[in-house]
């Protein structure tokens, strides 16, 4: 059944007018007709079975029938990353959503290749991934910050959150020992930081490793591309500290 993300409060009996783009997508792209059913969600009110009411060639309303899934909350794992260019950034954002990221935050580092971040495009990729993969907890997209500013304000803004720094220069090769040690401390909010294609500078590595809230972890014996590193890191973190075993 087709799924659609809506920016409306969802409640039994509600009738929501689809905007022009959504109506065109439902009627002319998906070829849905009067009375056809679909699933809708907004990231906070669960997932709902809905019925389509077609009122024109490019106009329709969505009538909510019943809630089919209550709202769930993913593990609180933020994804922090140095932006990539275009298609590879799209891929990385989509995979982070699929892997259960609770928020996505671009971080500008000394070796970051992309100087600008298209947040609207990122949000569109987040929603598309959520629609396609049955996700109802939609991660937020946060404004870009420089690594220096982010670290400098961490203790005040988010003191309970531990930052897992994926360090390609870490001496060890196996992250599981450190992740298992953190898991034994009990649930805690986390953030996973992936660097740019050129890696972190020595100055940035020294800054990160000096912070009490930072835990450096390796990603194995091979050098990974940034988009591959994102998937590898989230796999290990979700398996040891996230919601895969819950």
């Amino acid at each position: 059944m087709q799924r659609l993300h809506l920016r409306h409060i969802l409640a039994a009996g509600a009738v929501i007018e689809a905007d022009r783009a959504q109506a065109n997508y439902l009627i002319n792209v998906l070829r849905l007709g009067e009375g056809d059913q679909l699933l809708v969600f907004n990231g906070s009110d669960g997932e709902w079975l809905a019925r389509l009411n077609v009122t024109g060639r490019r106009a329709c309303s969505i009538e909510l029938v019943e809630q089919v899934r209550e709202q769930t909350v993913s593990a609180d794992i933020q994804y922090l990353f140095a932006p990539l260019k275009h298609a590879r950034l799209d891929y990385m954002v989509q995979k982070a959503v699929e892997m259960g990221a609770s928020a996505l935050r671009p971080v500008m580092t000394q070796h970051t290749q992309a100087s600008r971040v298209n947040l609207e495009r990122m949000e569109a990729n987040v929603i598309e991934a959520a629609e396609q993969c049955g996700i109802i907890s939609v991660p937020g997209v946060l404004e870009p910050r420089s690594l220096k500013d982010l670290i400098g304000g961490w203790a005040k803004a988010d003191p309970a959150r531990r930052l897992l720094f994926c360090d390609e220069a870490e001496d060890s090769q196996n992250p599981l020992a450190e992740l298992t040690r953190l898991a034994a401390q009990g649930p805690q909010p986390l953030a996973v930081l992936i660097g740019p294609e050129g890696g972190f500078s020595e100055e940035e590595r020294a800054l990160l490793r000096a912070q009490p809230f930072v835990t450096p972890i390796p990603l194995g014996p091979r050098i990974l591309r940034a988009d591959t590193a994102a998937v590898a890191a989230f796999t290990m973190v979700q398996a040891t500290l996230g919601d895969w075993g819950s």
Side-chain angles (χ1 to χ4, degrees), residues 94-109:
Q94 291 165 1
K95 298 311 167 188
V97 175
E98 293 176 35
M99 300 290 286
S102 59
L104 286 76
R105 168 173 279 175
V107 179
M108 312 306 287
T109 69

Side-chain angles (χ1 to χ4, degrees), residues 24-93:
N24 182 65
Y25 175 69
L26 293 170
I27 298 171
N28 300 312
V29 177
L30 297 181
R31 302 293 184 181
L32 297 183
E34 178 68 26
D36 283 347
Q37 294 182 331
L38 66 155
L39 297 170
V40 299
F41 65 102
N42 63 0
S44 58
D45 296 326
E47 185 171 55
W48 290 74
L49 178 67
R51 181 184 301 110
L52 193 68
N53 299 321
V54 179
T55 56
R57 290 182 59 186
R58 296 183 180 177
C60 64
S61 62
I62 300 166
E63 180 182 356
L64 272 61
V65 178
E66 62 176 343
Q67 188 182 60
V68 293
R69 274 200 292 170
E70 294 185 357
Q71 186 63 41
T72 57
V73 179
S74 298
D76 189 359
I77 306 176
Q78 296 186 357
Y79 175 46
L80 281 56
F81 60 96
L84 302 174
K85 294 182 179 179
H86 305 306
R88 291 183 62 198
L89 178 59
D90 294 345
Y91 171 87
M92 191 163 61
V93 168

Side-chain angles (χ1 to χ4, degrees), residues 79-83 89 103-109 116-119 122 140-147 150 193:
Y79 175 46
L80 281 56
F81 60 96
L89 178 59
L104 286 76
R105 168 173 279 175
V107 179
M108 312 306 287
T109 69
R116 300 180 63 183
V117 182
N118 187 334
L119 294 181
M122 281 183 58
V141 175
L142 306 180
E143 291 286 340
R145 296 278 302 277
S146 73
L147 179 63
L150 182 71
L193 173 62

Side-chain angles (χ1 to χ4, degrees), residues 139-246:
V141 175
L142 306 180
E143 291 286 340
R145 296 278 302 277
S146 73
L147 179 63
K148 184 177 180 179
D149 288 347
L150 182 71
I151 296 303
W154 193 278
K156 182 178 180 180
D158 206 351
R161 188 176 302 276
R162 175 146 297 273
L163 176 59
L164 303 177
F165 160 40
C166 297
D167 185 2
E168 72 277 5
E170 175 71 4
D171 291 336
S172 65
Q173 295 182 349
N174 185 353
L176 293 179
E178 188 61 36
L179 294 175
T180 301
R181 184 188 68 80
L182 290 175
Q185 299 176 7
Q188 60 182 310
L190 301 169
V192 176
L193 173 62
I194 302 289
E197 289 293 272
F200 292 99
S201 70
E202 286 304 312
E203 178 186 349
E204 291 169 335
R205 291 186 68 243
L207 173 66
L208 286 162
R209 297 179 76 89
Q211 309 305 317
F213 54 84
V214 171
T215 298
I217 60 171
L219 291 179
R222 286 166 289 279
I223 300 297
L224 303 178
R225 289 178 18 154
D227 44 353
T228 307
V231 177
F234 256 92
T235 299
M236 291 183 292
V237 171
Q238 284 284 37
T240 54
L241 299 168
D243 56 15
W244 286 11
S246 59

